[in-house]
Amino acid sequence: MSARIATVSRDTNETQIKVSVNLDGEGRLSCQTGVPFLDHMLDQVARHGMIDLDINATGDLHIDDHHTVEDLGITLGQAFFEAIGDKRGIYRYGHAYVPLDEALSRVVIDFSGRPGLYMNVEFTRDTIGSLDTQLFWEFFQGFVNHARVSLHIDNIKGFNAHHQAETIFKAFGRALRMAVAEDPRMLGQMPSTKGSL
């Protein structure tokens, strides 16, 4: 496969975001979003997904974190869509179960070309640090719409909200890693009977 690297910028009245992604990286993150817990979660995606991420985001955090978190999901999705190319030779599907102490989450992804988010998570707290837990849905919605993937997220158990979120993002990274990996039996072939994704 050729290098699967992309850089995407998004510049609005609310946010200025630049994301670079290397799908065949070493799990490195360079990240400045102004939202510390989000940075921590993105570090999990990079490390467990073995994806290099370089993210710079400036947003209207004096209002709240909403626009920054949502627009980062959008921009990251656009970068994935560009980097993945025509999807020939990839596994396409990925899944992972990840525990952290009492918490357990499952994430399943399909690079289907059809966006859809199915998220079954009941956070036990409304905020983690200063981050509104509702914004995780906004992040993933932005990602699936622009990466054009189907994404199923289930928090199966957990009473610590930090642990709930961390298992979700670690599982997301692991599922991404599986889905975008090169399938040695599918080289040059489209992983779909339709012939395109």
Side-chain angles (χ1 to χ4, degrees):
M1 285 187 173
S2 58
R4 298 185 299 169
I5 298 170
T7 299
V8 174
S9 295
R10 178 179 174 85
D11 191 355
T12 73
N13 291 335
E14 297 167 341
T15 61
Q16 297 78 48
I17 298 175
K18 183 177 180 180
V19 171
S20 295
V21 61
N22 178 359
L23 300 183
D24 303 300
E26 299 175 352
R28 293 188 306 235
L29 174 74
S30 174
C31 186
Q32 297 177 10
T33 69
V35 184
F37 190 75
L38 181 62
D39 292 351
H40 180 45
M41 293 300 97
L42 292 168
D43 197 16
Q44 306 308 317
V45 175
R47 180 66 54 88
H48 294 281
M50 290 302 290
I51 297 161
D52 291 343
L53 295 173
D54 190 347
I55 298 169
N56 282 290
T58 302
D60 51 5
L61 299 178
H62 60 284
I63 296 174
D64 70 6
D65 298 338
H66 188 121
H67 297 140
T68 299
V69 175
E70 179 182 25
D71 287 6
L72 183 53
I74 291 170
T75 312
L76 186 63
Q78 291 172 332
F80 263 79
F81 182 77
E82 185 175 322
I84 199 72
D86 69 3
K87 305 173 193 167
R88 289 183 184 277
I90 67 168
Y91 277 98
R92 174 180 166 179
Y93 301 100
H95 63 273
Y97 284 83
V98 170
L100 175 57
D101 297 342
E102 89 299 342
L104 175 66
S105 292
R106 174 183 60 220
V107 173
V108 183
I109 193 166
D110 175 12
F111 276 80
S112 62
R114 298 182 304 279
L117 175 63
Y118 310 93
M119 189 168 175
N120 182 23
V121 180
E122 294 184 14
F123 284 104
T124 58
R125 294 185 60 190
D126 293 334
T127 59
I128 303 173
S130 61
L131 182 61
D132 183 344
T133 54
Q134 289 182 332
L135 296 183
F136 294 122
W137 189 90
E138 299 292 344
F139 171 85
F140 287 115
Q141 185 67 69
F143 180 84
V144 301
N145 284 344
H146 294 272
R148 302 182 197 177
V149 299
S150 295
L151 181 64
H152 292 250
I153 300 172
D154 295 281
N155 175 238
I156 297 166
K157 61 177 74 172
F159 57 78
N160 181 298
H162 186 129
H163 292 173
Q164 289 177 291
E166 192 159 334
T167 57
I168 288 166
F169 277 86
K170 285 178 176 176
F172 179 55
R174 285 276 173 177
L176 285 170
R177 180 176 175 178
M178 180 186 292
V180 305
E182 181 181 7
D183 182 348
R185 298 181 64 197
M186 189 67 83
L187 288 179
Q189 297 181 57
M190 186 63 64
S192 171
T193 55
K194 291 191 295 291
S196 67
L197 287 171

